[in-house]
Coordinates of all heavy atoms in Angstrom, one line a residue:
M8 N 0.8 -1.2 0.0 CA 0.0 0.0 0.0 C 0.9 1.3 0.0 O 0.5 2.2 -0.6 CB -0.9 0.0 1.2 CG -2.0 0.9 1.2 SD -3.1 0.5 -0.1 CE -4.3 1.7 0.0
Q9 N 2.1 1.2 0.7 CA 2.9 2.3 0.7 C 3.6 2.6 -0.6 O 3.9 3.8 -0.9 CB 4.0 2.1 1.8 CG 3.5 2.2 3.2 CD 4.7 2.0 4.2 OE1 5.8 1.6 3.8 NE2 4.4 2.4 5.4
D10 N 3.8 1.6 -1.5 CA 4.3 1.8 -2.8 C 3.4 2.7 -3.6 O 3.9 3.5 -4.4 CB 4.6 0.5 -3.5 CG 5.7 -0.3 -2.8 OD1 6.5 0.3 -2.1 OD2 5.7 -1.5 -2.9
S11 N 2.1 2.5 -3.5 CA 1.2 3.3 -4.3 C 1.0 4.7 -3.7 O 0.7 5.6 -4.4 CB -0.2 2.6 -4.4 OG -0.7 2.5 -3.1
D12 N 1.2 4.9 -2.4 CA 1.1 6.2 -1.8 C 2.3 7.1 -2.1 O 2.2 8.3 -2.1 CB 0.9 6.1 -0.3 CG -0.5 5.6 0.1 OD1 -1.4 5.7 -0.8 OD2 -0.7 5.1 1.2
Q13 N 3.5 6.4 -2.2 CA 4.7 7.2 -2.3 C 4.7 8.0 -3.7 O 5.1 9.2 -3.6 CB 5.9 6.3 -2.3 CG 7.2 7.0 -2.1 CD 8.4 6.1 -1.9 OE1 8.2 4.9 -2.0 NE2 9.5 6.6 -1.5
P14 N 4.4 7.5 -4.8 CA 4.3 8.3 -6.0 C 3.3 9.4 -5.9 O 3.5 10.5 -6.4 CB 4.0 7.3 -7.1 CG 4.4 6.0 -6.6 CD 4.2 6.0 -5.1
R15 N 2.2 9.1 -5.3 CA 1.2 10.1 -5.1 C 1.7 11.3 -4.2 O 1.5 12.5 -4.5 CB -0.1 9.5 -4.5 CG -1.2 10.5 -4.4 CD -2.4 9.9 -3.9 NE -2.9 8.9 -4.9 CZ -4.0 8.2 -4.9 NH1 -4.7 8.3 -3.9 NH2 -4.3 7.4 -5.8
S16 N 2.5 10.9 -3.2 CA 3.0 11.9 -2.3 C 4.1 12.8 -3.1 O 4.1 14.0 -2.9 CB 3.7 11.3 -1.1 OG 4.4 12.2 -0.3
R17 N 4.9 12.1 -3.9 CA 5.9 12.9 -4.7 C 5.2 13.8 -5.7 O 5.6 14.9 -5.9 CB 6.8 11.9 -5.4 CG 7.8 11.3 -4.5 CD 8.8 10.4 -5.2 NE 9.7 9.8 -4.3 CZ 10.6 8.9 -4.6 NH1 10.7 8.5 -5.9 NH2 11.3 8.4 -3.7
L18 N 4.1 13.2 -6.3 CA 3.4 14.0 -7.3 C 2.8 15.3 -6.6 O 2.8 16.4 -7.2 CB 2.3 13.2 -7.9 CG 1.5 13.9 -9.1 CD1 2.5 14.3 -10.2 CD2 0.4 13.0 -9.6
S19 N 2.3 15.1 -5.4 CA 1.7 16.3 -4.7 C 2.8 17.3 -4.3 O 2.6 18.5 -4.3 CB 0.9 15.9 -3.5 OG 1.7 15.3 -2.5
Q20 N 4.0 16.8 -4.0 CA 5.1 17.7 -3.7 C 5.5 18.5 -4.9 O 5.8 19.7 -4.8 CB 6.3 16.9 -3.1 CG 6.0 16.4 -1.7 CD 7.2 15.5 -1.2 OE1 8.1 15.1 -2.0 NE2 7.2 15.2 0.1
V21 N 5.6 17.8 -6.0 CA 5.9 18.4 -7.3 C 4.9 19.5 -7.6 O 5.2 20.6 -8.1 CB 6.1 17.4 -8.4 CG1 6.2 18.1 -9.8 CG2 7.3 16.6 -8.2
A22 N 3.6 19.1 -7.4 CA 2.5 20.1 -7.7 C 2.6 21.3 -6.8 O 2.4 22.4 -7.3 CB 1.1 19.4 -7.6
A23 N 2.9 21.1 -5.6 CA 3.1 22.2 -4.6 C 4.3 23.1 -5.0 O 4.2 24.3 -5.0 CB 3.2 21.7 -3.2
G24 N 5.3 22.4 -5.5 CA 6.5 23.2 -5.9 C 6.2 24.0 -7.2 O 6.6 25.2 -7.3
L25 N 5.5 23.4 -8.1 CA 5.1 24.2 -9.3 C 4.2 25.3 -9.0 O 4.3 26.4 -9.6 CB 4.5 23.2 -10.3 CG 5.4 22.3 -11.0 CD1 4.6 21.3 -11.9 CD2 6.4 23.0 -11.9
R26 N 3.3 25.1 -8.1 CA 2.4 26.2 -7.7 C 3.1 27.3 -7.0 O 2.9 28.5 -7.4 CB 1.3 25.6 -6.7 CG 0.2 26.6 -6.4 CD -0.8 26.1 -5.4 NE -1.1 24.7 -5.6 CZ -0.9 23.7 -4.8 NH1 -0.4 23.7 -3.8 NH2 -1.1 22.5 -5.1
D27 N 4.1 27.0 -6.2 CA 4.9 28.1 -5.6 C 5.7 28.8 -6.6 O 5.9 30.0 -6.6 CB 5.8 27.5 -4.5 CG 5.0 27.2 -3.2 OD1 3.9 27.7 -3.1 OD2 5.6 26.4 -2.4
F28 N 6.3 28.0 -7.6 CA 7.1 28.6 -8.6 C 6.4 29.6 -9.5 O 6.8 30.7 -9.8 CB 7.7 27.5 -9.5 CG 8.6 28.0 -10.6 CD1 9.9 28.5 -10.3 CD2 8.1 28.0 -11.9 CE1 10.7 29.0 -11.4 CE2 8.9 28.5 -12.9 CZ 10.2 29.0 -12.7
Y29 N 5.1 29.2 -9.9 CA 4.4 30.1 -10.8 C 3.6 31.1 -10.1 O 3.5 32.3 -10.6 CB 3.5 29.2 -11.7 CG 4.2 28.5 -12.8 CD1 4.4 27.1 -12.7 CD2 4.8 29.1 -13.8 CE1 5.1 26.4 -13.7 CE2 5.5 28.5 -14.8 CZ 5.7 27.1 -14.7 OH 6.4 26.4 -15.6
S30 N 3.0 30.9 -9.0 CA 2.2 31.9 -8.3 C 2.9 32.6 -7.2 O 2.4 33.7 -6.8 CB 0.9 31.2 -7.7 OG 1.3 30.4 -6.7
G31 N 4.1 32.2 -6.8 CA 4.8 32.8 -5.7 C 5.1 34.3 -6.0 O 4.9 35.1 -5.1
P32 N 5.7 34.6 -7.2 CA 6.0 36.0 -7.4 C 4.7 37.0 -7.5 O 4.9 38.2 -7.3 CB 6.7 36.0 -8.8 CG 7.1 34.6 -9.0 CD 6.2 33.8 -8.3
Y33 N 3.6 36.4 -7.7 CA 2.4 37.2 -7.8 C 1.5 37.1 -6.6 O 0.3 37.5 -6.6 CB 1.6 36.7 -9.1 CG 2.4 36.8 -10.3 CD1 2.9 35.6 -10.9 CD2 2.8 38.0 -10.9 CE1 3.7 35.6 -12.0 CE2 3.6 38.0 -12.0 CZ 4.1 36.8 -12.5 OH 4.9 36.8 -13.7
R34 N 2.0 36.5 -5.5 CA 1.2 36.2 -4.3 C 0.6 37.5 -3.8 O -0.5 37.6 -3.4 CB 2.0 35.5 -3.3 CG 1.2 35.0 -2.1 CD 2.0 34.1 -1.2 NE 2.4 32.9 -2.0 CZ 3.5 32.2 -1.9 NH1 4.4 32.7 -1.1 NH2 3.7 31.2 -2.6
R35 N 1.4 38.6 -3.7 CA 1.0 39.9 -3.2 C -0.1 40.5 -4.1 O -1.1 41.0 -3.6 CB 2.2 40.8 -3.1 CG 1.8 42.1 -2.5 CD 2.9 43.0 -2.3 NE 3.8 42.4 -1.2 CZ 5.0 42.9 -0.9 NH1 5.4 44.0 -1.4 NH2 5.6 42.4 0.1
T36 N 0.1 40.3 -5.4 CA -0.9 40.9 -6.3 C -2.3 40.1 -6.2 O -3.3 40.8 -6.2 CB -0.4 40.7 -7.8 OG1 0.8 41.4 -7.9 CG2 -1.4 41.3 -8.8
F37 N -2.2 38.8 -6.0 CA -3.4 38.0 -5.8 C -4.1 38.4 -4.5 O -5.3 38.5 -4.5 CB -3.1 36.5 -5.8 CG -2.7 36.0 -7.2 CD1 -1.8 34.9 -7.3 CD2 -3.3 36.5 -8.4 CE1 -1.5 34.4 -8.5 CE2 -2.9 36.0 -9.6 CZ -2.0 34.9 -9.7
A38 N -3.3 38.6 -3.5 CA -3.9 39.0 -2.2 C -4.6 40.4 -2.3 O -5.6 40.6 -1.7 CB -2.8 39.0 -1.1
R39 N -3.9 41.3 -3.0 CA -4.5 42.6 -3.2 C -5.8 42.6 -4.0 O -6.8 43.3 -3.6 CB -3.5 43.5 -3.9 CG -3.9 44.9 -4.1 CD -4.1 45.7 -2.8 NE -4.7 47.0 -3.1 CZ -5.0 47.8 -2.2 NH1 -4.7 47.6 -1.0 NH2 -5.5 49.0 -2.5
A40 N -5.8 41.8 -5.0 CA -7.0 41.6 -5.8 C -8.1 41.0 -5.0 O -9.3 41.4 -5.1 CB -6.7 40.8 -7.1
Q41 N -7.8 40.0 -4.2 CA -8.8 39.4 -3.3 C -9.4 40.4 -2.3 O -10.5 40.5 -2.1 CB -8.2 38.2 -2.6 CG -9.2 37.5 -1.7 CD -10.3 36.8 -2.5 OE1 -10.0 36.2 -3.5 NE2 -11.5 37.0 -2.0
Q42 N -8.5 41.3 -1.8 CA -8.9 42.3 -0.8 C -9.8 43.3 -1.5 O -10.8 43.7 -0.9 CB -7.7 43.0 -0.2 CG -8.0 43.9 0.9 CD -8.5 43.1 2.1 OE1 -7.9 42.3 2.6 NE2 -9.7 43.5 2.5
D43 N -9.5 43.7 -2.7 CA -10.3 44.6 -3.4 C -11.7 44.1 -3.7 O -12.7 44.7 -3.6 CB -9.7 45.0 -4.8 CG -8.4 45.9 -4.6 OD1 -8.3 46.5 -3.4 OD2 -7.7 46.1 -5.5
E44 N -11.8 42.8 -4.1 CA -13.0 42.1 -4.3 C -13.8 42.0 -3.0 O -15.1 42.3 -3.0 CB -12.8 40.7 -4.9 CG -12.5 40.7 -6.3 CD -12.3 39.3 -6.9 OE1 -12.8 38.4 -6.2 OE2 -11.8 39.2 -8.0
D45 N -13.2 41.7 -1.9 CA -13.9 41.7 -0.6 C -14.4 43.0 -0.2 O -15.5 43.1 0.3 CB -12.9 41.1 0.5 CG -12.6 39.7 0.3 OD1 -13.3 39.0 -0.5 OD2 -11.7 39.2 0.9
D46 N -13.6 44.1 -0.5 CA -14.1 45.5 -0.1 C -15.3 45.8 -1.0 O -16.2 46.5 -0.5 CB -12.9 46.5 -0.3 CG -11.9 46.4 0.7 OD1 -12.2 45.7 1.8 OD2 -10.8 46.9 0.5
L47 N -15.3 45.5 -2.3 CA -16.4 45.8 -3.1 C -17.6 45.1 -2.7 O -18.7 45.6 -2.6 CB -16.1 45.5 -4.6 CG -17.2 45.7 -5.6 CD1 -17.5 47.2 -5.7 CD2 -16.8 45.2 -6.9
F48 N -17.5 43.8 -2.3 CA -18.6 43.0 -1.8 C -19.2 43.6 -0.6 O -20.4 43.8 -0.4 CB -18.2 41.6 -1.6 CG -19.2 40.7 -1.0 CD1 -20.3 40.3 -1.8 CD2 -19.2 40.4 0.3 CE1 -21.3 39.5 -1.3 CE2 -20.2 39.6 0.9 CZ -21.2 39.1 0.1
L49 N -18.3 44.1 0.4 CA -18.8 44.7 1.6 C -19.5 46.0 1.3 O -20.5 46.3 1.9 CB -17.6 45.0 2.5 CG -18.0 45.4 3.9 CD1 -17.4 44.4 4.9 CD2 -17.5 46.8 4.2
V50 N -19.0 46.8 0.4 CA -19.7 48.1 0.0 C -21.1 47.7 -0.6 O -22.1 48.4 -0.3 CB -18.9 48.9 -1.0 CG1 -19.7 50.0 -1.6 CG2 -17.7 49.5 -0.2
I51 N -21.2 46.7 -1.4 CA -22.5 46.4 -2.0 C -23.5 45.9 -1.0 O -24.6 46.3 -0.9 CB -22.3 45.3 -3.1 CG1 -21.6 45.9 -4.3 CG2 -23.6 44.6 -3.5 CD1 -21.1 44.8 -5.3
V52 N -23.0 45.1 0.0 CA -23.9 44.6 1.1 C -24.2 45.8 2.0 O -25.4 45.9 2.4 CB -23.2 43.5 1.8 CG1 -24.0 43.1 3.1 CG2 -23.0 42.3 1.0
M53 N -23.3 46.7 2.3 CA -23.6 47.8 3.2 C -24.1 49.0 2.5 O -24.2 50.1 3.1 CB -22.3 48.1 4.0 CG -21.7 47.0 4.8 SD -22.6 46.7 6.3 CE -22.4 48.2 7.2
A54 N -24.4 49.0 1.2 CA -24.8 50.2 0.4 C -26.0 50.9 1.1 O -26.0 52.1 1.2 CB -25.1 49.8 -1.0
E55 N -27.0 50.1 1.4 CA -28.2 50.8 2.0 C -27.9 51.5 3.3 O -28.3 52.6 3.5 CB -29.3 49.7 2.2 CG -30.6 50.3 2.5 CD -31.3 50.8 1.2 OE1 -31.0 50.3 0.1 OE2 -32.1 51.7 1.3
A56 N -27.0 51.0 4.1 CA -26.6 51.6 5.4 C -25.7 52.8 5.1 O -25.7 53.7 5.9 CB -25.9 50.6 6.3
L57 N -25.0 52.8 4.0 CA -24.1 53.9 3.7 C -24.9 55.0 2.9 O -24.3 56.0 2.6 CB -22.9 53.4 2.9 CG -22.0 52.5 3.6 CD1 -21.0 51.9 2.6 CD2 -21.2 53.3 4.7
G58 N -26.1 54.9 2.7 CA -26.9 55.9 2.0 C -27.0 55.8 0.5 O -27.5 56.7 -0.2
V59 N -26.6 54.7 0.0 CA -26.6 54.5 -1.5 C -27.8 53.6 -1.8 O -27.9 52.5 -1.1 CB -25.3 53.8 -2.0 CG1 -25.4 53.5 -3.5 CG2 -24.1 54.6 -1.6
P60 N -28.7 54.0 -2.7 CA -29.8 53.1 -3.0 C -29.4 51.8 -3.5 O -28.5 51.7 -4.4 CB -30.6 53.9 -4.1 CG -30.1 55.3 -4.0 CD -28.7 55.2 -3.4
N61 N -29.9 50.7 -3.0 CA -29.5 49.4 -3.4 C -30.8 48.6 -3.8 O -31.6 48.3 -3.0 CB -28.9 48.7 -2.2 CG -28.3 47.4 -2.5 OD1 -28.3 46.9 -3.7 ND2 -27.7 46.7 -1.6
P62 N -30.9 48.3 -5.1 CA -32.1 47.6 -5.6 C -32.2 46.2 -5.1 O -33.2 45.6 -5.1 CB -32.0 47.7 -7.1 CG -30.5 47.9 -7.4 CD -30.0 48.7 -6.2
V63 N -31.1 45.6 -4.6 CA -31.1 44.2 -4.2 C -30.9 44.2 -2.6 O -30.4 43.2 -2.1 CB -30.0 43.4 -4.9 CG1 -30.3 43.2 -6.3 CG2 -28.6 44.0 -4.7
S64 N -31.4 45.2 -1.9 CA -31.2 45.2 -0.5 C -32.0 44.1 0.2 O -31.6 43.7 1.3 CB -31.6 46.6 0.1 OG -33.0 46.8 -0.1
Y65 N -33.0 43.7 -0.5 CA -33.8 42.5 0.1 C -32.9 41.3 0.3 O -33.1 40.5 1.2 CB -35.0 42.2 -0.8 CG -35.8 41.1 -0.3 CD1 -36.7 41.2 0.7 CD2 -35.7 39.8 -1.0 CE1 -37.5 40.1 1.1 CE2 -36.5 38.8 -0.6 CZ -37.4 38.9 0.5 OH -38.1 37.9 0.9
Y66 N -32.0 41.1 -0.7 CA -31.2 39.9 -0.6 C -29.9 40.2 0.2 O -29.4 39.2 0.8 CB -30.8 39.5 -2.1 CG -32.0 39.2 -2.9 CD1 -32.4 40.1 -3.9 CD2 -32.7 38.0 -2.7 CE1 -33.5 39.8 -4.7 CE2 -33.8 37.7 -3.5 CZ -34.2 38.6 -4.5 OH -35.3 38.3 -5.2
T67 N -29.4 41.4 0.2 CA -28.2 41.6 0.9 C -28.4 41.8 2.4 O -27.4 41.7 3.1 CB -27.4 42.9 0.3 OG1 -28.3 44.0 0.4 CG2 -27.0 42.6 -1.1
V68 N -29.6 42.1 2.8 CA -29.8 42.3 4.2 C -29.5 41.1 5.0 O -29.1 41.1 6.2 CB -31.2 42.9 4.5 CG1 -32.2 41.8 4.3 CG2 -31.3 43.5 5.9
E69 N -29.7 39.9 4.4 CA -29.4 38.7 5.1 C -27.9 38.5 5.3 O -27.5 37.7 6.2 CB -29.9 37.5 4.3 CG -31.4 37.5 4.2 CD -31.9 36.3 3.3 OE1 -31.1 35.5 2.9 OE2 -33.1 36.3 3.1
L70 N -27.0 39.2 4.6 CA -25.6 39.1 4.7 C -25.0 40.0 5.7 O -23.8 40.0 6.0 CB -24.9 39.3 3.3 CG -25.3 38.2 2.3 CD1 -24.7 38.6 0.9 CD2 -24.8 36.9 2.6
L71 N -25.8 40.9 6.2 CA -25.2 42.0 7.1 C -24.6 41.3 8.3 O -23.5 41.8 8.7 CB -26.3 42.9 7.5 CG -26.7 43.9 6.5 CD1 -27.9 44.8 7.0 CD2 -25.6 44.8 6.1
P72 N -25.1 40.4 9.0 CA -24.4 39.8 10.2 C -23.1 39.2 9.8 O -22.1 39.2 10.6 CB -25.4 38.7 10.7 CG -26.7 39.1 10.2 CD -26.5 39.8 8.9
V73 N -22.9 38.8 8.6 CA -21.6 38.2 8.1 C -20.6 39.2 8.0 O -19.4 39.1 8.3 CB -21.8 37.4 6.8 CG1 -20.5 36.8 6.3 CG2 -22.8 36.3 7.0
V74 N -21.0 40.4 7.4 CA -20.0 41.4 7.1 C -19.7 42.4 8.3 O -18.8 43.2 8.2 CB -20.3 42.2 5.9 CG1 -20.4 41.3 4.7 CG2 -21.6 43.0 6.1
Y75 N -20.5 42.3 9.4 CA -20.3 43.2 10.5 C -18.9 43.1 11.1 O -18.3 44.0 11.5 CB -21.4 43.1 11.6 CG -22.6 43.9 11.3 CD1 -23.9 43.4 11.6 CD2 -22.6 45.1 10.7 CE1 -25.0 44.1 11.4 CE2 -23.7 45.8 10.4 CZ -24.9 45.3 10.8 OH -26.1 46.1 10.5
D76 N -18.5 41.8 11.1 CA -17.1 41.6 11.7 C -16.0 42.2 10.9 O -15.0 42.5 11.4 CB -16.9 40.1 11.9 CG -17.8 39.4 12.9 OD1 -18.3 40.2 13.7 OD2 -18.0 38.2 12.8
Q77 N -16.3 42.3 9.6 CA -15.2 42.9 8.7 C -15.3 44.4 8.5 O -14.5 45.0 7.9 CB -15.4 42.2 7.3 CG -15.3 40.7 7.3 CD -15.8 40.2 6.0 OE1 -16.1 40.9 5.1 NE2 -15.8 38.8 5.9
F78 N -16.4 45.0 9.1 CA -16.7 46.4 8.8 C -15.6 47.3 9.4 O -15.1 48.3 8.8 CB -18.0 46.8 9.4 CG -18.4 48.2 9.1 CD1 -18.8 48.5 7.8 CD2 -18.4 49.2 10.0 CE1 -19.1 49.8 7.5 CE2 -18.7 50.5 9.7 CZ -19.1 50.8 8.5
H79 N -15.1 47.0 10.6 CA -14.1 47.8 11.3 C -12.8 47.8 10.5 O -12.3 48.9 10.2 CB -13.8 47.3 12.7 CG -12.7 48.0 13.4 ND1 -12.9 49.3 13.8 CD2 -11.4 47.7 13.6 CE1 -11.7 49.7 14.4 NE2 -10.8 48.8 14.3
D80 N -12.4 46.7 10.0 CA -11.2 46.6 9.2 C -11.3 47.4 7.9 O -10.4 48.1 7.4 CB -10.8 45.2 8.9 CG -10.4 44.4 10.1 OD1 -9.9 45.1 11.1 OD2 -10.5 43.2 10.1
W81 N -12.6 47.3 7.3 CA -12.8 48.0 6.0 C -12.7 49.5 6.2 O -12.1 50.2 5.4 CB -14.2 47.6 5.5 CG -14.6 48.4 4.3 CD1 -14.2 48.2 3.0 CD2 -15.5 49.5 4.3 NE1 -14.8 49.2 2.2 CE2 -15.6 50.0 3.0 CE3 -16.2 50.2 5.3 CZ2 -16.3 51.1 2.6 CZ3 -17.0 51.3 4.9 CH2 -17.0 51.7 3.6
H82 N -13.4 50.1 7.2 CA -13.4 51.5 7.3 C -12.0 52.0 7.7 O -11.6 53.2 7.4 CB -14.5 52.1 8.2 CG -14.3 52.0 9.7 ND1 -13.4 52.8 10.4 CD2 -14.9 51.2 10.6 CE1 -13.5 52.5 11.7 NE2 -14.4 51.5 11.8
R83 N -11.2 51.2 8.4 CA -9.8 51.6 8.7 C -9.0 51.6 7.4 O -8.1 52.5 7.2 CB -9.2 50.7 9.7 CG -9.9 50.7 11.0 CD -9.7 51.9 11.8 NE -8.3 51.9 12.3 CZ -7.8 52.9 13.0 NH1 -8.5 53.9 13.4 NH2 -6.6 52.8 13.5
R84 N -9.2 50.6 6.5 CA -8.5 50.6 5.2 C -8.9 51.7 4.3 O -8.1 52.2 3.5 CB -8.8 49.3 4.5 CG -7.9 48.1 4.9 CD -8.0 47.0 3.9 NE -9.4 46.5 3.6 CZ -10.0 45.7 4.3 NH1 -9.4 45.1 5.4 NH2 -11.2 45.3 4.0
M85 N -10.1 52.2 4.4 CA -10.6 53.3 3.6 C -10.1 54.6 4.2 O -10.4 55.7 3.6 CB -12.1 53.3 3.5 CG -12.7 52.1 2.8 SD -12.1 52.0 1.1 CE -11.3 50.4 1.1
G86 N -9.4 54.7 5.3 CA -8.9 55.9 5.8 C -9.9 56.6 6.8 O -9.6 57.8 7.1
L87 N -10.9 55.9 7.2 CA -11.9 56.5 8.1 C -11.5 56.1 9.5 O -11.4 54.9 9.8 CB -13.3 56.1 7.8 CG -13.8 56.4 6.4 CD1 -15.1 55.7 6.1 CD2 -13.9 57.9 6.2
D88 N -11.2 57.0 10.4 CA -10.9 56.7 11.8 C -12.0 56.1 12.6 O -11.9 55.3 13.4 CB -10.3 57.9 12.5 CG -8.9 58.3 11.9 OD1 -8.3 57.5 11.3 OD2 -8.6 59.5 12.0
R89 N -13.2 56.7 12.3 CA -14.4 56.3 13.0 C -15.4 55.6 12.0 O -15.3 55.9 10.8 CB -15.1 57.5 13.6 CG -14.3 58.1 14.6 CD -14.4 57.4 15.9 NE -13.6 58.1 16.9 CZ -13.3 57.6 18.1 NH1 -13.8 56.5 18.4 NH2 -12.6 58.3 18.9
S90 N -16.4 54.9 12.5 CA -17.4 54.3 11.6 C -18.2 55.4 10.9 O -18.7 56.4 11.6 CB -18.3 53.4 12.4 OG -19.4 53.0 11.7
P91 N -18.4 55.3 9.6 CA -19.2 56.3 8.9 C -20.7 56.2 9.2 O -21.5 57.1 8.9 CB -18.9 56.1 7.5 CG -18.6 54.7 7.4 CD -17.9 54.3 8.7
L92 N -21.1 55.1 9.9 CA -22.5 54.9 10.2 C -22.9 55.5 11.5 O -22.2 55.3 12.5 CB -22.8 53.4 10.1 CG -22.5 52.7 8.8 CD1 -22.8 51.2 9.0 CD2 -23.2 53.3 7.7
D93 N -24.0 56.2 11.6 CA -24.4 56.8 12.8 C -25.0 55.7 13.8 O -24.8 55.8 15.0 CB -25.5 57.8 12.6 CG -25.0 59.0 11.8 OD1 -23.8 59.2 11.9 OD2 -25.8 59.6 11.1
H94 N -25.7 54.7 13.3 CA -26.4 53.7 14.1 C -25.5 52.5 14.4 O -25.9 51.6 15.1 CB -27.7 53.3 13.5 CG -27.5 52.7 12.1 ND1 -27.3 53.5 11.0 CD2 -27.4 51.4 11.7 CE1 -27.1 52.7 9.9 NE2 -27.2 51.5 10.3
F95 N -24.3 52.5 13.8 CA -23.4 51.3 14.0 C -22.0 51.8 14.3 O -21.4 52.3 13.4 CB -23.5 50.4 12.8 CG -22.6 49.2 13.0 CD1 -22.9 48.2 13.8 CD2 -21.4 49.1 12.3 CE1 -22.1 47.1 13.9 CE2 -20.6 48.0 12.4 CZ -21.0 47.0 13.2
S96 N -21.6 51.7 15.5 CA -20.2 52.2 15.8 C -19.5 50.9 16.3 O -19.9 50.2 17.2 CB -20.2 53.2 16.9 OG -20.7 52.7 18.1
C97 N -18.4 50.6 15.6 CA -17.7 49.4 15.9 C -16.4 49.8 16.8 O -15.8 48.9 17.3 CB -17.3 48.7 14.6 SG -16.4 49.8 13.5
C98 N -16.1 51.0 16.8 CA -14.9 51.4 17.6 C -15.1 52.6 18.4 O -16.1 53.3 18.4 CB -13.7 51.6 16.7 SG -14.0 52.7 15.3

């Protein structure tokens, strides 16, 4: 059984090495793109609370409890020392 696991293990090590080789130099770029997408998603979900009309607020209101934990980090990244919402102060 170990003979069949050993090539699989080596293959997974080679795959991990290739992934590091090709995506390693762009890791910071990928992380920044992911952060930008997360920030955009948070703005879309919090649009109604930020005063922007949101035609899909019926669907995004269910996601508010999920993004409340990320809200403090978001407004700090946007350069706001305090929460821009009057009814929700996280700091």
Side-chain angles (χ1 to χ4, degrees):
M8 193 69 178
Q9 288 182 343
D10 292 336
S11 64
D12 287 342
Q13 193 173 11
R15 185 174 294 183
S16 175
R17 287 184 183 173
L18 185 60
S19 65
Q20 289 175 349
V21 169
L25 288 173
R26 188 178 324 111
D27 285 343
F28 177 76
Y29 285 110
S30 68
Y33 307 105
R34 191 170 293 144
R35 183 177 291 176
T36 304
F37 290 147
R39 179 67 186 181
Q41 180 68 43
Q42 188 66 57
D43 289 345
E44 285 183 14
D45 290 346
D46 287 346
L47 178 63
F48 178 74
L49 192 122
V50 167
I51 289 171
V52 171
M53 300 287 292
E55 195 74 29
L57 293 170
V59 178
N61 187 1
V63 293
S64 64
Y65 177 77
Y66 300 106
T67 58
V68 74
E69 295 179 4
L70 298 172
L71 285 176
V73 176
V74 298
Y75 276 145
D76 294 337
Q77 303 165 2
F78 186 73
H79 176 72
D80 294 333
W81 173 79
H82 78 75
R83 299 288 287 181
R84 274 195 307 274
M85 296 298 123
L87 303 170
D88 292 335
R89 300 277 181 190
S90 171
L92 304 177
D93 294 335
H94 59 279
F95 180 72
S96 66
C97 56
C98 48

